Amino acid sequence: MPDIEGARAYAHDGSTEIGVLLSHGFTGSPFSMRPWADHLVAQGYSVRVPLLPGHGTRWQDMNRTGWPDWYGTVSESFAELRERCDQVFVFGLSMGGALCLRLAEEHGDEIAGVVLVNPSIMTLRKEIRFVGMLSKIVPSVPPISDDIALAGVSEYAYPRTPLRAMASLTKFWAFVRQDLAKVDQPLLVLHSAVDHVVEPENSHEILRGVSSTDATEVVLENSFHVATLDHDAPLIFDSSVDFVRRVSAGERV
């Protein structure tokens, strides 16, 4: 992966009242989250955008990691914010959404609220059942990346999908799905009407499975999968700030 400004881990210490953890997706990097992070910093919040292990270098490195490594890293960033801030929110894109849901499942009311953009906890692709077996023979396959409607924009994700890492992700999805009912924090789910990577059924499954009484769904009509870099990015950013303000003030939908 080229050394691109914004693709590395990012941390900003702002307010001690509000902290926000943002997690990028599978084969991506903080680059996909950095505009969102900058918007949150402008509100005065403390922000963490970790670089997940195996990401931001070469796809081969990712095959040496798995979901415990990725989850361990977001857990460390969450712990930093929890120590610093009165309230901590977790925001995630794609696989980052699954990581944030797991944090919510395990940390309960230590998390003030959850915002998900095109979160992944499953896939309808039938071939996924063979990924574990295939990963022992084939290290990678062509990617589904840069699914962005806005012309000329790239997320700079890996040029291959590492299959051992993918097999680990599918196991992680199962853990997240089985514990969805433990998620009872205020929840905002934004998903694209057209997503060529993560089916909208993921968001529907999450909204059906959580116990949150304060849950809002927003359909992004003008963006594909990497919506944080797409036409609807301003809507995502503004909606998330409105969500944080409302929840931190103790207001419910």
Side-chain angles (χ1 to χ4, degrees), residues 2-252:
D3 187 12
I4 298 165
E5 184 177 356
R8 303 298 172 230
Y10 175 73
H12 171 78
D13 288 334
S15 166
T16 57
E17 297 177 357
I18 303 293
V20 183
L21 165 67
L22 299 100
S23 179
H24 67 79
F26 189 79
T27 78
S29 78
F31 185 85
S32 62
M33 308 298 276
R34 187 57 186 271
W36 198 359
D38 290 342
H39 188 83
L40 297 168
V41 166
Q43 312 306 312
Y45 305 148
S46 290
V47 173
R48 295 291 186 275
V49 192
L51 174 65
L52 302 179
H55 294 72
T57 55
R58 308 178 309 145
W59 66 262
Q60 291 91 339
D61 295 331
M62 198 172 165
N63 265 339
R64 302 184 183 97
T65 67
W67 76 261
D69 304 299
W70 312 327
Y71 185 64
T73 294
V74 296
S75 296
E76 290 172 5
S77 290
F78 169 72
E80 285 182 19
L81 286 172
R82 190 70 188 92
E83 184 175 346
R84 175 180 176 79
C85 301
D86 298 332
Q87 291 184 304
V88 178
F89 292 78
V90 293
F91 295 3
L93 167 67
S94 195
M95 179 185 76
L99 293 169
C100 288
L101 284 169
R102 193 60 176 171
L103 286 172
E105 291 168 353
E106 295 199 333
H107 291 278
D109 59 10
E110 291 184 62
I111 292 175
V114 182
V115 178
L116 309 175
V117 177
N118 291 324
S120 72
I121 59 165
M122 55 172 275
T123 182
L124 299 179
R125 296 181 178 89
K126 295 181 179 179
E127 61 269 25
I128 199 68
R129 72 186 69 175
F130 304 113
V131 69
M133 183 187 313
L134 186 61
S135 68
K136 298 176 182 179
I137 305 169
V138 179
S140 69
V141 295
I144 304 176
S145 58
D146 282 346
D147 189 35
I148 302 171
L150 187 58
V153 177
S154 175
E155 62 174 316
Y156 299 105
Y158 282 152
R160 303 285 296 178
T161 297
L163 288 186
R164 289 179 185 173
M166 186 73 221
S168 181
L169 175 58
T170 62
K171 294 177 182 178
F172 181 59
W173 282 343
F175 292 130
V176 174
R177 288 197 308 273
Q178 72 184 11
D179 287 338
L180 277 177
K182 294 180 179 179
V183 177
D184 59 4
Q185 300 89 341
L187 175 66
L188 172 61
V189 179
L190 306 103
H191 65 89
S192 299
V194 178
D195 187 330
H196 304 97
V197 180
V198 172
E199 304 93 344
E201 283 81 359
N202 283 264
S203 293
H204 301 157
E205 182 73 15
I206 291 166
L207 289 163
R208 283 194 298 266
V210 300
S211 300
S212 305
T213 55
D214 182 346
T216 303
E217 176 185 14
V218 176
V219 178
L220 307 172
E221 299 289 353
N222 304 301
S223 301
F224 295 156
H225 181 62
V226 192
T228 53
L229 299 177
D230 215 328
H231 293 289
D232 290 306
L235 172 60
I236 295 169
F237 304 166
D238 290 343
S239 296
S240 68
V241 170
D242 290 344
F243 175 81
V244 169
R245 288 175 177 167
R246 177 176 63 77
V247 171
S248 62
E251 301 173 6
R252 313 292 287 188

